[in-house]
């Protein structure tokens, strides 16, 4: 097993747009205990608030990651794009 420089249990994963429950399960199975899901895309301050503590996010096609949104996510390490 590969060790990370930051413990998986402290990494906040946020999944938007109703990404498959299997993705959430895969994160949990890989040791990520903080996984939050949203059934749809968020915008404006709702999106910024949701990302304020996120380390990794998963989006589909409706979530718009503008420069302002990225600036509101100071801990962001990775963005994953899902298609199913």
């Amino acid at each position: 097993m590969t060790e990370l420089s930051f413990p998986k249990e402290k990494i906040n994963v946020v999944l938007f747009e109703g990404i498959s429950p299997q993705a959430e399960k895969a994160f949990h199975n890989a040791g990520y205990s903080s996984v939050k899901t949203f059934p749809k895309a968020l915008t404006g301050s709702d999106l910024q608030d949701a990302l304020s503590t996120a380390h990794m996010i998963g989006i589909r096609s409706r979530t718009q990651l503008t420069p302002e949104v990225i600036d509101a996510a100071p801990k962001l390490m990775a963005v994953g794009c899902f298609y199913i």
Side-chain angles (χ1 to χ4, degrees):
M1 179 154 90
T2 303
E3 282 194 40
L4 302 176
S5 60
F6 196 66
K8 288 182 180 181
E9 63 272 4
K10 292 186 178 184
I11 293 176
N12 298 316
V13 178
V14 183
L15 304 175
F16 295 98
E17 302 179 59
I19 291 175
S20 171
Q22 294 158 329
E24 181 180 5
K25 184 177 179 181
F27 276 107
H28 283 293
N29 289 344
Y32 296 93
S33 56
S34 178
V35 181
K36 186 170 186 177
T37 61
F38 291 89
K40 61 181 184 173
L42 300 181
T43 60
S45 63
D46 291 334
L47 179 57
Q48 290 176 335
D49 289 345
L51 296 181
S52 65
T53 61
H55 295 96
M56 298 191 311
I57 63 172
I59 62 173
R60 292 181 71 181
S61 60
R62 295 185 189 265
T63 301
Q64 300 298 306
L65 299 180
T66 64
E68 294 80 20
V69 170
I70 297 295
D71 286 345
K75 298 179 180 185
L76 189 61
M77 300 185 301
V79 176
C81 298
F82 292 77
Y83 66 94
I84 294 178

